[in-house]
């Protein structure tokens, strides 16, 4: 079996920092992305002694260390793709370069990648690569093996798991829980013979200077706004629940985290007549009303209509859009990509906003690769500048907010459910929307089983304006003690730290952090969690953070606006009493 592995070198997540709006790389510890380490470990195990594993790394000369590490841990050989001409390449150009390099090395049975990289957190390259190579894609895979030329995997979905099968060749991505990562010591890396590492430049791969790098990239990153974890947080501590609520009331809006795109009033219809499209995932349940409201408000501010692109369920966007494009029939991402690309090329919408579910991310990435257009992954904010929509996203594990514009005819962007929470609907109410229907044939080679272990509350968590997160300090037998607090706050389902999810106390779909979900609700209440960097990065964009922990030295207090030191049971009782007796203006009201 012949397997290609993609590996990326990144700054260590805990050492990522910004100076003057730029990521500091000098004298910063570099390491191989942890998801890529898992991809390599899995590939080596699957290939066995008779197979071949070839590692591909694109980056500066220092990235050779990543190639060496993967070879030291069992890969047959590696290819470092490095050239100053590649500097500034976005995900589309990166995928094109990697696809060319893989094709030059001959046919592979499987291309294995990490789910995403921890520095940019796009998760786009794997599906873009699949589209460019003309291959099916599965992932992120919790289990993966090959039987008689068929890849069999358990894939993590937004609300559970699904068993999938696909005939090779294919592209697959490794989830965090697929296997242990492959790590090598500096001495083991240094011992790798130079002959086992090949080097490729832009010219070696047949690229002209203008075809790669920043100049060729359809997305452009603007000035970085620093929103490092902890910056702008008051950090006040108290032992009193009543005092904590008063402190929350007194807080001004947190800088850099106003994610609503609904400010301002509608403007006259744009002269070009191009619409804003919202593409709802037909496989993930109800549409996030806050996201739909935000899309409507954004469109009105840009002087544009909203077209809802849906599957069979037209009612998902009824009464909220000006037009409906319904795709009936098959609903796999690679089923939709050809017909929707044809519609997008013909209509040239101003922007297309996708649900950032597994389904939406794959479809958006495939569309971007097929059309050669720019894609912004997991946008958390939209602004309108000179009539053009600009998407903003969090990067560097939540330490920065960056505006990203696109030189493509249409801006493509994915948005996580809950990222635009609190967006009120614009004042106008669309009339009866015309419906255009497109029949979609089944062309996907991926066979999905029904979702197993579904977490029906996962979608609600993403839409919640208030989230209560529990750590190992709260025993699962006592979760019921939090019900009244959640009801008074109008909070969604309980969320969890990784240790809680790994212990099986709450589903994996509730895990918050770098290797879980990222949320941007109006309020996060953390109870009994230490709040390490990998966890707190998942809610850095929250409007307010209230932490409760008995340990005064818990890391969660470093990122919280207000902290209450004390036994969580006492604090929760006092919070409930205070919330029943007074109006707390800083906290969201329950949904109607």
């Amino acid at each position: 079996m012949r397997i290609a592995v993609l590996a990326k070198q990144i700054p260590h997540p805990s050492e990522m920092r910004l100076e003057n709006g730029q990521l500091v790389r000098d004298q910063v510890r570099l390491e191989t992305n942890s998801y890529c380490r898992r991809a390599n470990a899995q590939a080596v195990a699957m290939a066995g002694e008779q197979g071949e594993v070839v590692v591909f790394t694109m980056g500066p000369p220092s990235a050779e260390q990543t190639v060496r590490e993967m070879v030291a841990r069992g890969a047959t050989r590696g290819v470092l793709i490095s050239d100053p001409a590649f500097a500034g390449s976005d995900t589309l150009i990166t995928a094109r370069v990697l696809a060319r390099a893989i094709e030059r090395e001959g046919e592979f049975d499987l291309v294995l990648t990490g789910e995403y990289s921890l520095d940019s957190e796009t998760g786009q390259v794997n599906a873009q690569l699949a589209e460019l190579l003309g291959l099916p894609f599965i992932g992120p895979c919790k289990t993966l093996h090959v039987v008689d030329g068929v890849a069999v995997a358990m894939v993590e979905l937004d609300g559970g798991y699904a068993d999938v099968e696909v005939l090779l060749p294919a592209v697959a991505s490794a989830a965090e829980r697929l296997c242990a990562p492959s790590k090598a010591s500096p001495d083991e890396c240094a011992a790798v013979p130079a002959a086992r590492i090949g080097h490729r430049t832009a010219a070696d791969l047949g690229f002209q200077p203008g075809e790669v790098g920043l100049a060729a990239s359809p997305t452009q990153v603007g000035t970085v706004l620093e929103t490092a974890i902890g910056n702008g947080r008051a950090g006040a501590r108290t032992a009193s629940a009543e005092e904590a609520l008063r402190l929350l009331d007194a807080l001004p809006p947190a800088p850099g985290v106003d994610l609503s795109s609904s400010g301002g009033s509608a403007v006259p219809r744009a002269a070009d007549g191009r619409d804003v499209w919202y593409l709802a995932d037909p496989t993930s349940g109800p549409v996030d009303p806050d996201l739909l409201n935000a899309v409507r408000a954004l469109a009105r501010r840009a002087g544009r209509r909203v077209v809802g692109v849906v599957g069979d369920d037209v009612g998902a966007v009824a009464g909220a859009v000006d037009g409906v494009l319904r795709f009936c029939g098959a609903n796999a991402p690679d089923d939709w990509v050809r017909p929707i690309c044809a519609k997008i090329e013909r209509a040239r919408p101003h922007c297309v906003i996708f649900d950032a579910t597994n389904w939406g991310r794959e479809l958006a990435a495939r569309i971007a690769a097929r059309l050669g257009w720019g894609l912004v992954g997991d946008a958390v904010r939209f602004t309108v500048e000179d009539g053009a929509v600009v998407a903003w996203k969090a990067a560097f594990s939540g330490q920065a907010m960056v505006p990203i514009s696109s030189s493509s005819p249409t801006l493509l962007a994915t948005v996580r459910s809950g990222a635009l929470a609190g967006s009120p609907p614009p004042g106008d109410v669309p009339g009866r929307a015309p419906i255009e229907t497109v029949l979609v044939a089944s062309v996907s080679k991926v066979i999905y089983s029904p979702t197993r272990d579904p977490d029906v509350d996962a979608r609600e968590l993403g839409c919640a304006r208030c989230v209560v997160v529990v750590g190992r300090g709260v025993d699962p037998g006592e979760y019921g003690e939090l019900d009244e607090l959640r009801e008074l706050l109008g909070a969604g389902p309980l969320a969890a730290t990784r240790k809680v999810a790994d212990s099986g106390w709450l589903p994996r779909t509730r895990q918050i952090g770098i290797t879980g979900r990222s949320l941007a609700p109006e309020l996060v209440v953390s109870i009994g969690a230490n709040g390490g960097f990998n966890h707190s990065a998942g809610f850095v964009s929250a409007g307010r953070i209230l932490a409760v922990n008995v340990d005064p030295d818990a890391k969660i207090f470093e990122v919280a606006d207000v902290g209450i030191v004390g036994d969580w049971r006492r604090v929760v009782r006092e919070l409930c009493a205070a919330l029943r007796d007074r109006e707390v203006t800083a906290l969201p009201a329950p949904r109607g």
Side-chain angles (χ1 to χ4, degrees):
M1 187 175 184
R2 199 158 185 261
I3 304 176
V5 172
L6 304 188
K8 183 179 182 182
Q9 185 186 62
I10 63 171
H12 191 279
S14 65
E15 296 185 9
M16 293 180 191
R17 60 189 178 89
L18 297 165
E19 286 184 3
N20 300 320
Q22 299 297 321
L23 181 66
V24 176
R25 295 183 181 273
D26 294 338
Q27 299 181 338
V28 172
R29 182 165 42 126
L30 301 174
E31 67 173 25
T32 302
N33 182 52
S34 61
Y35 286 95
C36 300
R37 282 173 164 160
R38 288 173 170 84
N40 187 70
Q42 183 70 17
V44 170
M46 293 174 66
E49 294 183 359
Q50 303 303 315
E52 181 184 22
V53 176
V54 182
V55 175
F56 295 84
T57 295
M58 179 178 170
S62 64
E64 181 174 324
Q65 184 69 10
T66 284
V67 181
R68 287 183 168 275
E69 181 180 13
M70 299 299 95
V71 174
R73 298 309 299 163
T76 310
R77 59 188 178 89
V79 177
L80 175 62
I81 308 163
S82 185
D83 193 312
F86 293 141
S89 295
D90 67 2
T91 62
L92 176 64
I93 302 303
T94 297
R96 285 178 177 171
V97 171
L98 290 169
R100 183 79 58 85
I102 290 171
E103 289 173 332
R104 293 290 177 95
E105 294 294 325
E107 295 183 358
F108 288 90
D109 300 295
L110 180 67
V111 179
L112 194 52
T113 77
E115 180 180 356
Y116 60 82
S117 63
L118 297 180
D119 56 345
S120 56
E121 304 176 40
T122 62
Q124 296 167 191
V125 171
N126 42 35
Q128 288 178 322
L129 184 67
E131 184 67 23
L132 293 170
L133 294 174
L135 297 177
F137 170 75
I138 57 173
C141 300
K142 183 182 179 184
T143 65
L144 176 64
H145 57 280
V146 173
V147 180
D148 297 330
V150 176
V152 180
M154 181 192 296
V155 172
E156 294 181 352
L157 302 178
D158 300 280
Y161 302 93
D163 294 318
V164 303
E165 296 182 3
V166 62
L167 185 67
L168 297 180
V171 177
S173 68
E176 181 189 20
R177 293 171 174 83
L178 174 63
C179 61
S182 58
K183 297 181 180 180
S185 69
D187 289 343
E188 290 174 315
C189 294
V192 172
R196 295 177 67 182
I197 301 176
H199 296 79
R200 303 289 184 271
T201 64
D204 293 334
L205 298 176
F207 287 107
Q208 298 298 317
E211 295 179 322
V212 295
L214 181 62
S217 298
T219 55
Q220 296 83 38
V221 179
T223 302
V224 175
L225 293 188
E226 185 167 345
T227 57
I229 293 176
N231 277 11
R233 301 294 186 186
R237 300 191 199 182
T238 178
S240 164
E242 180 66 34
E243 175 65 16
L245 295 180
R246 284 197 294 268
L247 289 169
L248 283 176
D249 281 341
L251 284 174
V257 297
D258 179 10
L259 306 182
S260 170
S261 60
S262 59
S265 57
V267 299
R269 176 86 165 131
D272 60 16
R274 298 164 66 200
D275 299 326
V276 172
W277 287 15
Y278 167 54
L279 203 153
D281 180 352
T283 69
S284 68
V287 168
D288 176 359
D290 282 324
L291 177 53
L292 187 53
N293 287 338
V295 172
R296 288 177 56 199
L298 173 68
R300 296 302 185 254
R301 288 177 60 199
R304 303 181 186 280
R305 299 166 64 252
V306 179
V307 173
V309 184
V310 298
D312 292 324
D313 184 14
V314 175
V317 294
V321 297
D322 304 292
V324 176
L325 185 57
R326 177 174 60 184
F327 283 72
C328 294
N331 61 9
D334 39 353
D335 293 329
W336 279 43
V337 65
R338 286 180 180 271
I340 200 166
C341 279
K343 289 293 182 183
I344 290 174
E345 281 193 292
R346 186 176 302 115
R348 295 295 174 102
H350 184 71
C351 66
V352 181
I353 297 174
F354 303 77
D355 281 336
T357 58
N358 288 4
W359 185 94
R361 288 189 181 100
E362 180 182 348
L363 178 60
R366 284 185 175 276
I367 290 172
R370 177 172 286 271
L371 297 179
W373 291 357
L375 170 62
V376 182
D378 290 348
V380 295
R381 180 186 180 194
F382 291 95
T383 56
V384 178
E385 300 178 10
D386 298 325
V389 173
V390 176
W392 295 65
K393 70 165 292 174
F396 317 134
S397 298
Q399 296 189 71
M401 290 274 287
V402 292
I404 302 179
S405 57
S406 174
S407 60
S408 304
T410 297
L411 172 68
L412 309 175
T414 62
V415 180
R416 295 189 188 191
S417 179
L420 302 178
S423 298
D428 66 317
V429 178
R432 185 178 180 86
I435 300 173
E436 179 183 355
T437 299
V438 177
L439 297 179
V440 181
S442 178
V443 297
S444 177
K445 298 179 181 178
V446 181
I447 301 173
Y448 279 84
S449 69
T451 302
R452 66 160 74 176
D453 302 325
D455 180 7
V456 296
D457 294 327
R459 182 74 173 181
E460 183 184 348
L461 178 63
C463 302
R465 289 181 289 175
C466 175
V467 173
V468 176
V469 185
V470 291
R472 287 289 297 272
V474 181
D475 187 274
E478 297 179 280
Y479 286 169
E481 301 295 318
L482 304 174
D483 288 348
E484 183 182 7
L485 177 64
R486 290 172 47 231
E487 181 178 356
L488 288 167
L489 293 173
L494 281 178
T497 63
R498 175 178 173 172
K499 288 183 178 179
V500 168
D502 284 348
S503 299
W505 295 358
L506 284 173
R508 173 199 59 82
T509 51
R510 312 279 189 88
Q511 179 186 329
I512 308 300
I514 287 179
T515 57
R517 304 180 63 163
S518 294
L519 302 174
E522 296 175 31
L523 173 69
V524 166
V525 180
S526 172
I527 302 177
N530 180 56
F533 174 84
N534 286 349
H535 170 59
S536 57
F539 51 83
V540 65
S541 295
R544 302 285 191 278
I545 300 174
L546 171 64
V548 179
N549 202 296
V550 71
D551 180 5
D553 296 322
K555 293 183 181 297
I556 190 65
F557 292 128
E558 298 175 8
V559 302
D561 295 291
V562 178
I564 306 177
V565 180
D567 178 79
W568 70 265
R569 301 168 189 83
R570 172 189 65 80
V571 173
V572 167
R573 288 195 298 269
E574 292 180 1
L575 283 172
C576 289
L579 289 168
R580 286 193 299 266
D581 294 342
R582 63 193 289 274
E583 180 180 355
V584 184
T585 57
L587 305 183
R591 292 184 185 274

